[in-house]
């Protein structure tokens, strides 16, 4: 088995690295990847991004949001998490066999003292009945990767806030995440593994995986990126993981209902969102205006569905003609995600 520990702390670059190596490199043995990233949310391929996150909280705390190519539910990572990925030939393993694919990690954790760790359900690894690892798979052109998280010392308070969404705000056909009881792995490990930095934990896990005493023993198994690799990864990141259309525009069609009472009347807004843009919007309520609100509805069609683009669009419109006494900022805040 070969290994590569990604030096970047940006989930978008790390996911691009994983996909690039799978698509463009042939190894005569499996490849295991380890990556660590700053606070981020990664939604599954078939999910509605906005339905999975608390957008106000995410923006306030500058949490990166991206979409992966594999299925499954949304996950939160920060610098207390280590992600891993096994890249293999598709013919070598049955797609969806998470127990077999994650077994090397489970056995490595057992050697580190977490003897209760075990695969449970479809794609989770639990300890003491609580989840510390979620996993997903992707296959293409005869290759498969199976990747997962390991919450060593993640801020679970942030996790619960970042992925907390009011269920009555959005209705869509996206595959929704199933929330589980989550725990950190750190307290379940042997004492010598409980006060490590996240890089030290990754290295300890790597050595346990290879059953080696130090990194010098396995240096011939380490992969090093070439300049061509780095160029290809940067291009893939721009085309996919840092691309608004991929992260938000790919979300399934969904509807939104927003209602608020203002001093000058109540506005009830119903929106249909397709490919991350407003396909249809209807306003109801007891507000006043000199012009028919249907004209405003037509002007908003095609607008990217986020606060920035909605505010920019509304600032170019004399809103007082449709909602007398109601400010642009108030309407934008009402209908934005």
């Amino acid at each position: 088995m070969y290994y590569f520990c990604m030096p970047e702390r940006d989930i978008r670059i790390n996911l691009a690295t994983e996909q690039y190596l799978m698509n463009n490199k042939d190894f005569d043995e499996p490849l295991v990847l380890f990556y660590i990233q700053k606070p981020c949310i990664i939604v599954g391929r078939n999910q509605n991004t906005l339905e999975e996150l608390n957008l106000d909280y995410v923006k306030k705390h500058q949490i990166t949001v991206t979409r992966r190519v594999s299925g499954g539910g949304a996950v939160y990572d920060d610098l207390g998490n280590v992600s891993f990925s096994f890249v293999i030939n598709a013919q070598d393993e049955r797609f969806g066999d998470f127990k077999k694919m994650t077994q090397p990690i489970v056995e490595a954790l057992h050697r580190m003292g977490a003897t209760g760790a075990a695969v449970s359900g479809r794609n989770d690894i639990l300890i003491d009945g609580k989840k510390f690892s979620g996993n997903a798979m992707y296959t293409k052109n005869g290759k498969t990767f199976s990747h997962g998280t390991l919450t060593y010392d993640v801020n679970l308070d942030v996790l619960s806030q970042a992925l907390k969404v009011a269920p009555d705000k959005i209705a869509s056909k996206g595959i929704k995440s199933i929330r589980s009881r989550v725990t950190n792995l750190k307290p379940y490990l042997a004492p010598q593994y409980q006060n490590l930095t996240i890089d030290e934990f990754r290295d300890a896990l790597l050595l346990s995986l290879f059953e080696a005493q130090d990194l010098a023993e396995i240096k011939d198994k380490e992969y090093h990126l070439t300049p061509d690799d780095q160029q290809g990864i940067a291009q893939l990141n721009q085309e996919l993981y840092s691309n608004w259309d991929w992260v938000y525009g790919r979300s399934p069609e969904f509807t939104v209902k927003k209602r608020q009472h203002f001093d000058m009347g109540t506005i009830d807004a119903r929106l249909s969102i397709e490919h991350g843009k407003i396909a249809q919007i209807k306003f109801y309520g007891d507000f006043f205006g000199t012009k028919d609100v249907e004209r405003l509805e037509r002007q908003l069609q095609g607008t990217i569905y986020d606060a920035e683009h909605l505010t920019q669009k509304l600032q170019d419109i004399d809103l007082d003609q449709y909602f007398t006494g109601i400010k642009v900022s108030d309407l934008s805040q009402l209908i934005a995600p």
Side-chain angles (χ1 to χ4, degrees):
M1 184 165 56
Y2 297 100
Y3 77 91
F4 176 58
C5 295
M6 302 185 196
E8 299 289 343
R9 292 294 188 262
D10 187 325
I11 183 58
R12 297 165 296 188
I13 296 174
N14 291 341
L15 289 175
T17 301
E18 174 186 57
Q19 188 177 354
Y20 175 85
L21 292 176
M22 186 187 86
N23 290 345
N24 297 280
K25 298 293 178 179
D26 290 316
F27 295 92
D28 56 1
E29 298 175 22
L31 170 69
V32 62
L33 306 169
F34 289 100
Y35 45 110
I36 300 165
Q37 40 271 331
K38 293 178 289 187
C40 59
I41 291 174
I42 312 105
V43 300
R45 182 185 184 94
N46 303 308
Q47 293 192 293
N48 175 358
T49 302
L50 293 176
E51 195 173 15
E52 293 299 322
L53 53 87
N54 180 343
L55 191 60
D56 290 340
Y57 186 91
V58 166
K59 288 182 175 179
K60 180 179 179 180
H61 292 83
Q62 298 181 312
I63 298 171
T64 299
V65 179
T66 192
R67 181 190 299 278
R68 59 182 186 270
V69 295
S70 58
V75 296
Y76 170 80
D77 285 359
D78 63 18
L79 292 171
N81 175 84
V82 172
S83 294
F84 64 91
S85 178
F86 290 103
V87 182
I88 61 170
N89 291 321
Q91 63 187 15
D92 293 342
E93 301 290 350
R94 179 173 62 85
F95 187 84
D97 190 351
F98 289 100
K99 185 172 184 178
K100 187 172 182 181
M101 290 292 287
T102 59
Q103 194 60 34
I105 292 292
V106 171
E107 291 176 356
L109 292 173
H110 286 175
R111 287 189 288 270
M112 297 172 69
T115 55
V119 177
S120 177
R122 181 183 63 162
N123 61 333
D124 295 335
I125 309 178
L126 309 184
I127 192 164
D128 195 23
K130 300 174 185 177
K131 175 179 175 178
F132 67 86
S133 174
N135 296 269
M137 283 190 188
Y138 176 72
T139 189
K140 183 178 181 181
N141 297 334
K143 298 281 190 65
T144 293
F145 67 65
S146 177
H147 55 189
T149 56
L150 293 171
T151 57
Y152 175 71
D153 193 20
V154 168
N155 188 327
L156 300 181
D157 290 335
V158 173
L159 182 154
S160 63
Q161 291 297 315
L163 296 178
K164 184 179 180 180
V165 182
D168 60 341
K169 282 191 175 181
I170 295 176
S172 84
K173 299 175 182 177
I175 306 301
K176 299 172 182 61
S177 295
I178 298 173
R179 304 298 175 211
S180 306
R181 293 176 65 202
V182 179
T183 189
N184 278 316
L185 188 57
K186 185 176 178 178
Y188 297 94
L189 297 169
Q192 65 266 36
Y193 301 113
Q194 291 186 4
N195 293 295
L196 304 178
T197 67
I198 196 63
D199 294 88
E200 290 170 343
F201 170 66
R202 176 203 60 203
D203 290 348
L205 179 64
L206 175 63
L207 290 174
S208 182
L209 185 66
F210 277 83
E211 297 188 62
Q213 296 300 311
D214 59 62
L215 294 176
E217 289 183 43
I218 56 173
K219 64 179 181 180
D220 59 330
K221 292 295 185 179
E222 183 178 10
Y223 182 74
H224 299 275
L225 295 179
T226 68
D228 285 345
D229 291 342
Q230 293 170 337
Q231 182 177 351
I233 290 164
Q235 182 177 347
L236 185 57
N237 175 37
Q238 291 302 312
E239 291 175 353
L240 213 60
Y241 299 103
S242 291
N243 186 329
W244 183 92
D245 284 330
W246 168 252
V247 180
Y248 292 96
R250 188 183 164 83
S251 294
E253 177 183 349
F254 63 99
T255 57
V256 180
K257 298 179 181 180
K258 298 288 190 75
R259 187 176 189 275
Q260 185 173 340
H261 176 73
F262 301 96
D263 290 341
M264 295 299 291
T266 298
I267 298 177
D268 183 339
R270 312 290 177 92
L271 300 89
S272 176
I273 311 299
E274 296 179 11
H275 307 298
K277 298 180 181 180
I278 297 174
Q280 297 289 334
I281 183 169
K282 291 290 294 181
F283 291 107
Y284 303 93
D286 59 358
F287 50 83
F288 296 97
T290 60
K291 289 191 176 181
D292 193 328
V293 76
E294 288 185 4
R295 183 176 177 181
L296 173 62
E297 294 166 352
R298 289 193 297 269
Q299 292 181 78
L300 291 176
Q301 288 178 8
T303 303
I304 289 176
Y305 187 54
D306 65 20
E308 178 184 353
H309 289 88
L310 279 168
T311 300
Q312 183 178 347
K313 183 74 172 183
L314 290 170
Q315 284 175 341
D316 295 332
I317 297 171
D318 185 358
L319 196 63
D320 202 57
Q321 298 178 105
Y322 306 102
F323 303 113
T324 300
I326 296 175
K327 298 183 293 185
V328 166
S329 58
D330 291 335
L331 183 63
S332 178
Q333 186 173 6
L334 168 63
I335 61 179

